[in-house]
Amino acid sequence: MGGIPADFAKALLARAVPEDLAALSPEALDILVAEAWRHLKGRRPGQHHVRVYNPHLPEGMPEITVIEVINDDMAFLVDSAIAVLNERGLDTRLVVHPILGVERDADGALTAFLGDANRAEAEGTARESLIHIHIDPIDSDEARDALAAEFDRVFTDVRLATSDWQAMTAHVAATIADFRETPPPLPADEIGEAIAFLQWLIDENFTFLGLREYAYVADADGGRLAPKEEAGLGIMRDPELRLLRRGTELVAMTQEIRDYLHEPVPLIVTKASVRARVHRRAHMDYIGVKLFDDDGRLTGELRIVGLFTSTAYTHSIRKIPLLRRKIDQVVRKAGFDHESHSGKALTNVLEGYPRDELFQIDPDTLSDFAFDILSLYERPRVKVLPRPDKFDRFVSVLVFIPRDKYDSDVRARVGRYLAATYDGRVSAFYPAFPEVPLVRVHYIIGRYGGETPRVDRARLQAGVAEVVQTWPDRLRSALAAIHAGPHARALGEHYAHAFSPAYQNLYDAGVAVRDIGVMQGLTPKHPLAIDFLEQPGEAGTRLHLRILSLGAPLPLSTRVPVLENMGFRAVDERTDRIGPVGTDEASIIWLHDMTLERASGGDVDLDDGGERLEALAMAIAGGRAENDGYNTLTLEARMHWRDVAVLRALSRYLRQAPVRYSQDYMWGVLIRHAAIASKIVALFHARFDPAHTDETARDGEEKAILAQIETDLGMVASLDEDRILRRFVNLVQAMVRTTFFQREADGRPRRVIAFKFESRKIEGLPAPRPLYEIFVYSPRVEGIHLRFGKVARGGLRWSDRPQDFRTEVLGLVKAQQVKNAVIVPVGAKGGF
């Protein structure tokens, strides 16, 4: 290592965590040790030196940024450095902090290295701190420089605070002596408690960071405080340092401090508006002590800032001046004996109260809040206790939440609600877990916006209770809003924990209530429910399909072909299992939520709320509609699935007529000319819908539709497509009767549709032609073609006829008084 003492590397790395060193090769460690030695060799006396750099390590070594600080050995070095990194969200990979024995000349040059200063033989030597930290790499020179500048400010404050420590405690001790020797004109018990508190501070219960005297100057506004020259210690050597804030501006004086100066109290304990850079990153504790002359006149304020030590948070409040007096006032107000059960319970509540709050809260508010908390032992529930800071800088809010409802998400939601309510931000939160089955979260809502909003506490608590509600709670409430008590409770008991966390994150309780209503109607005979809907906030080109399936999920390979034939493209899919733990598989509900886009592009407008698409999907699932490309007409032509069945049936006839075009080609033509397809269906309705009783009006409507179709056909460029469309129009005109509008006994449309044609009006039929033809269509088969009349020969012939059509067809033949017929069956088609 060329001139580097052999024991320097040992001193530097001896206390490193082994796994932190494991990632670095010996060659890399040699480089880092050499850099640290070069850094140590020169430092101006009485000053720290910060270096932040990216070392050039051998290939294959991890990239890192190194932070090195050379300083005189003093308190708060490492914890202050780590606080900087934590505040910036920078993770450490390695931290070492050797204390080294050194000798330097007057210019700071290293003249002797004496090794680890903690060794006995190093006693009496100059002790220097070397902080060596590895963090994730920072590539920007500007970012590394900014980090180095922040460390420079931190260690400047550390030096100021530690070098003036004794002077600050001595100054406070002198103030105590003045209070004892010349008591100010204030109540004796107030003076006595103030003296005890100041003595408690200097008895190692307070980390003094700064102190300054301010002179009271009377003016028309009620007086002001002016910093005394040469009267500052620690970080308050700077007379421009401001500890308080009015709005966004740091100031030396506020109206609240002015009011306090005229109150019959000797001191005030509150929080400064700025954070400490020494020891830990927290808002500094501010202690203002009034100063008086020998005649008892107010002359100014001794302003002390720092941080309470751990003893302030761990010792009993009965051992801490000011707090013990405040606690006695609360217990006396309650009328309890200290040794009674109620007195002990109240004291227990106060012992567990956030200590920072105890120093700042007034006894009356504390008394009210303590009794509120005490009531939670008997009936745990949501409770909110807000205390606005008198300087309008923050609102301190204690929120009690049942443990079974608390998690980090609930904590964040409550914080956002409080921040919005008080027009501020969540500056800090401190969860605690008292003995009662509640979690207490202490929120600090920081504010910059002037006067704090005055919020009705009942409204605030109701708002937090709403935020704290778990998803099952909201489900029970939503069920109770629409169902009678016993029924709502039964549904809540069954479904409260039936939905997966993923479902709860995606859907609110209102959606679940709607799903429950649908699920209640599912049976083994009717196991499916289908819903097309638009999702608020999503692009108009997308919609959602929700399928609820009882007992078993529907495979994606089953769903996707159906949707593609309906004119959609699936872009996302999620499946949820719905059912309480222990539910048998036959009772499990499967929710399939699919995000769909129009295959042809463009927006999807559910003008009817999705009813046409839902009816089609259910018809396919129930075997009442076929699964083919004609179904796209429901989307593109806004056509009911039964009307699609008319066009499909006519296409089946045309294939037997025969025509040379395939079914795929024919449905493609109808989809491309959806407007004409709609008019063909409108023509069919005009001719045969029994609701049209006025024959004159029927004829007029039919002629008008035919005229529109003829106009539209003039725009069709393809001869084949024109020919196909005209054949569909021709079949409707040649039709003389249909069973399309007949209903089953249960009111549903008949599964089988029959059409009677006048054969001589059908274009393209070969001769000889029968007088009439009957074409029977069912989704179970492609078609049954009956031809009858003078040319028919022989009796009724069955050729591989499905038995379930026998009655249907024989009834049709009988109704038409057919004597001779030929029945031509065509192969079966599948579906959903």
Side-chain angles (χ1 to χ4, degrees):
M1 291 191 294
I4 301 176
D7 57 349
F8 176 70
K10 181 178 179 180
L12 178 65
L13 301 173
R15 292 181 177 83
V17 178
E19 54 262 37
D20 293 347
L21 292 176
L24 300 168
S25 67
E27 294 78 11
L29 291 174
D30 284 347
I31 292 171
L32 293 168
V33 169
E35 290 285 350
W37 175 252
R38 185 160 50 248
H39 190 192
L40 179 67
K41 285 171 64 177
R43 179 179 75 91
R44 297 184 66 181
Q47 296 184 5
H48 60 265
H49 189 270
V50 179
R51 185 183 181 203
V52 180
Y53 72 99
N54 289 356
H56 297 290
L57 300 181
E59 187 175 348
M61 289 294 95
E63 294 183 84
I64 58 173
T65 289
V66 175
I67 302 163
E68 270 182 359
V69 186
I70 310 293
N71 209 341
D72 295 317
D73 183 28
M74 62 185 73
F76 310 130
L77 294 176
V78 175
D79 46 3
S80 300
I82 297 301
V84 173
L85 300 178
N86 289 341
E87 186 173 60
R88 290 173 173 247
L90 299 173
D91 294 328
T92 58
R93 296 186 182 184
L94 179 146
V95 179
V96 291
H97 178 219
I99 304 300
L100 307 175
V102 299
E103 291 180 0
R104 296 184 184 273
D105 61 21
D107 296 324
L110 190 68
T111 59
F113 176 72
L114 305 176
D116 187 346
N118 291 311
R119 296 179 304 170
E121 59 268 28
E123 289 183 7
T125 63
R127 296 163 58 92
E128 292 192 2
S129 158
L130 193 163
I131 297 175
H132 180 91
I133 300 174
H134 296 183
I135 62 174
D136 292 339
I138 299 174
D139 297 321
S140 162
D141 291 342
E142 292 79 5
R144 290 195 300 272
D145 290 345
L147 182 58
E150 177 62 14
F151 274 111
D152 185 67
R153 288 188 289 270
V154 166
F155 290 113
T156 296
D157 281 1
V158 170
R159 181 173 294 277
L160 289 170
T162 55
S163 62
D164 284 352
W165 181 289
Q166 290 183 340
M168 287 188 282
T169 56
H171 199 121
V172 175
T175 303
I176 294 173
D178 288 344
F179 270 28
R180 284 176 174 155
E181 294 170 8
T182 311
L186 297 172
D189 58 341
E190 292 280 357
I191 296 299
E193 196 69 4
I195 290 172
F197 179 70
L198 293 174
Q199 184 62 51
W200 178 80
L201 293 181
I202 62 177
D203 289 341
E204 298 186 357
N205 293 300
F206 191 75
T207 300
F208 288 87
L209 299 182
L211 175 152
R212 174 174 284 278
E213 283 194 12
Y214 289 76
Y216 175 72
V217 180
D219 61 19
D221 294 325
R224 60 185 176 85
L225 293 172
K228 291 184 177 181
E229 295 297 328
E230 306 300 325
L233 294 172
I235 64 172
M236 294 190 72
R237 287 187 187 182
D238 178 7
E240 299 301 318
L241 180 63
R242 299 290 184 261
L243 300 174
L244 301 174
R245 191 184 67 234
R246 182 187 296 117
T248 58
E249 180 185 1
L250 288 170
V251 296
M253 190 71 177
T254 67
Q255 183 59 47
E256 289 73 21
I257 291 292
R258 188 175 287 116
D259 293 342
Y260 137 74
L261 291 174
H262 297 289
E263 292 174 357
V265 294
L267 56 77
I268 184 174
V269 180
T270 186
K271 286 287 184 181
S273 296
V274 294
R275 292 178 180 269
R277 285 197 284 253
V278 180
H279 189 33
R280 65 178 186 267
R281 289 295 173 110
H283 284 279
M284 291 186 289
D285 295 293
Y286 170 122
I287 299 156
V289 185
K290 292 180 183 177
L291 301 177
F292 299 86
D293 62 16
D294 292 343
D295 295 325
R297 289 189 296 268
L298 178 70
T299 61
E301 179 194 59
L302 174 64
R303 189 167 291 182
I304 306 166
V305 292
L307 299 167
F308 287 115
T309 62
S310 60
T311 55
Y313 300 96
T314 56
H315 285 185
S316 170
I317 52 179
R318 295 206 168 275
K319 295 181 179 181
I320 301 175
L322 292 190
L323 297 191
R324 64 191 179 191
R325 187 164 177 267
K326 194 176 293 187
I327 298 313
D328 284 341
Q329 289 176 312
V330 171
V331 175
R332 281 200 306 271
K333 182 178 179 180
F336 295 156
D337 184 278
H338 282 297
E339 299 304 316
S340 69
H341 172 75
S342 297
K344 289 178 179 178
L346 181 58
T347 300
N348 186 53
V349 167
L350 296 171
E351 286 281 4
Y353 209 86
R355 291 296 167 90
D356 285 333
E357 274 295 283
L358 283 178
F359 280 113
Q360 299 173 67
I361 194 170
D362 65 272
D364 288 339
T365 302
L366 177 61
S367 178
D368 292 343
F369 285 2
F371 276 98
D372 280 336
I373 296 170
L374 199 59
S375 72
L376 298 177
Y377 283 72
E378 300 171 355
R379 187 169 70 86
R381 61 199 183 279
V382 172
K383 179 67 71 174
V384 183
L385 306 174
R387 183 189 67 82
D389 170 55
K390 64 173 62 178
F391 305 127
D392 288 318
R393 300 168 301 169
F394 61 85
V395 183
S396 169
V397 190
L398 295 183
V399 178
F400 292 83
I401 303 169
R403 288 193 187 187
D404 61 348
K405 298 179 187 299
Y406 178 80
D407 58 24
S408 59
D409 181 57
V410 168
R411 187 260 305 152
R413 291 204 310 268
V414 171
R416 288 194 294 270
Y417 172 78
L418 295 173
T421 300
Y422 285 108
D423 190 24
R425 70 200 186 285
V426 178
S427 295
F429 59 88
Y430 308 102
F433 298 84
E435 293 179 5
V436 290
L438 295 167
V439 177
R440 185 193 74 200
V441 187
H442 183 196
Y443 293 93
I444 304 297
I445 306 301
R447 300 194 66 261
Y448 289 125
E451 186 176 349
T452 302
R454 301 302 171 191
V455 182
D456 177 72
R457 201 173 130 195
R459 180 172 70 85
L460 182 69
Q461 186 154 300
V464 171
E466 175 66 24
V467 172
V468 164
Q469 273 199 329
T470 62
W471 194 92
D473 289 337
R474 291 192 289 274
L475 176 62
R476 291 187 184 97
S477 296
L479 288 167
I482 61 174
H483 293 293
H487 186 46
R489 288 190 290 273
L491 290 175
E493 182 69 23
H494 183 74
Y495 286 107
H497 301 287
F499 297 91
S500 69
Y503 181 103
Q504 295 176 25
N505 288 334
L506 197 59
Y507 308 114
D508 62 29
V511 173
V513 168
R514 187 179 64 186
D515 284 344
I516 289 170
V518 175
M519 289 188 289
Q520 289 294 101
L522 297 181
T523 65
K525 187 176 180 181
H526 300 289
L528 285 181
I530 296 172
D531 188 15
F532 286 86
L533 66 157
E534 294 169 310
Q535 198 77 357
E538 285 197 354
T541 57
R542 292 189 170 186
L543 78 161
H544 282 255
L545 166 63
R546 291 167 59 81
I547 302 173
L548 288 163
S549 174
L550 174 64
L554 289 176
L556 198 60
S557 58
T558 298
R559 288 177 270 144
V560 169
V562 172
L563 294 168
E564 289 175 344
N565 281 331
M566 292 174 68
F568 291 111
R569 176 175 58 250
V571 295
D572 193 16
E573 189 273 345
R574 57 171 292 109
T575 294
D576 280 289
R577 181 184 186 275
I578 302 174
V581 175
T583 303
D584 65 278
E585 287 302 312
S587 301
I588 293 296
I589 306 291
W590 296 88
L591 168 64
H592 305 295
D593 189 336
M594 305 183 71
T595 303
L596 308 177
E597 289 180 344
R598 197 174 193 152
S600 61
D603 287 352
V604 181
D605 181 14
L606 297 184
D607 60 310
D608 64 343
E611 291 183 7
R612 284 189 301 269
L613 295 171
E614 292 157 14
L616 169 61
M618 290 300 294
I620 295 171
R624 291 178 289 119
E626 294 187 37
N627 175 28
D628 61 22
Y630 286 103
N631 291 331
T632 300
L633 290 167
T634 299
L635 175 66
E636 298 295 339
R638 300 185 179 183
M639 197 177 290
H640 192 274
W641 71 269
R642 283 279 292 171
D643 292 333
V644 173
V646 171
L647 296 176
R648 182 185 289 113
L650 297 181
S651 75
R652 300 287 194 268
Y653 175 87
L654 288 175
R655 285 292 294 159
Q656 297 180 37
V659 297
R660 58 187 177 87
Y661 305 108
S662 68
Q663 291 291 327
D664 291 23
Y665 187 75
M666 284 191 284
W667 74 50
V669 169
L670 290 172
I671 292 167
R672 284 191 292 278
H673 302 284
I676 296 177
S678 294
K679 292 183 176 71
I680 293 171
V681 170
L683 179 65
F684 172 78
H685 279 267
R687 287 175 57 81
F688 300 108
D689 189 341
H692 296 347
T693 56
D694 187 329
E695 290 300 322
T696 302
R698 185 193 294 273
D699 290 344
E701 183 179 354
E702 182 179 347
K703 290 176 181 178
I705 294 171
L706 283 169
Q708 293 170 7
I709 291 174
E710 194 61 36
T711 300
D712 290 348
L713 287 171
M715 304 297 293
V716 176
S718 167
L719 184 61
D720 279 348
E721 293 184 1
D722 178 87
R723 183 178 293 116
I724 288 171
L725 293 167
R726 290 183 184 278
R727 290 297 297 271
F728 276 93
V729 175
N730 169 247
L731 285 180
V732 175
Q733 289 181 295
M735 201 180 296
V736 294
R737 188 170 299 177
T738 181
T739 61
F740 177 84
F741 296 98
Q742 294 179 4
R743 299 279 169 171
E744 302 284 2
D746 61 4
R748 297 204 302 176
R750 301 187 67 179
R751 185 181 297 270
V752 176
I753 308 172
F755 304 93
K756 180 178 180 181
F757 298 102
E758 191 174 349
S759 300
R760 64 186 177 184
K761 291 184 178 180
I762 299 176
E763 298 173 357
L765 285 184
R769 300 184 181 184
L771 294 177
Y772 296 99
E773 298 184 32
I774 294 177
F775 185 76
V776 181
Y777 167 79
S778 169
R780 296 188 182 180
V781 294
E782 284 202 354
I784 307 162
H785 194 172
L786 287 80
R787 293 184 179 143
F788 62 96
K790 291 182 179 179
V791 300
R793 293 289 186 271
L796 187 65
R797 295 204 311 272
W798 297 96
S799 174
D800 301 322
R801 280 296 307 122
Q803 280 302 104
D804 54 339
F805 277 98
R806 183 184 298 275
T807 303
E808 195 73 46
V809 173
L810 288 178
L812 179 65
V813 171
K814 181 178 179 182
Q816 299 295 329
Q817 298 181 344
V818 177
K819 305 258 187 207
N820 301 297
V822 177
I823 302 175
V824 184
V826 184
K829 296 287 286 183
F832 208 101

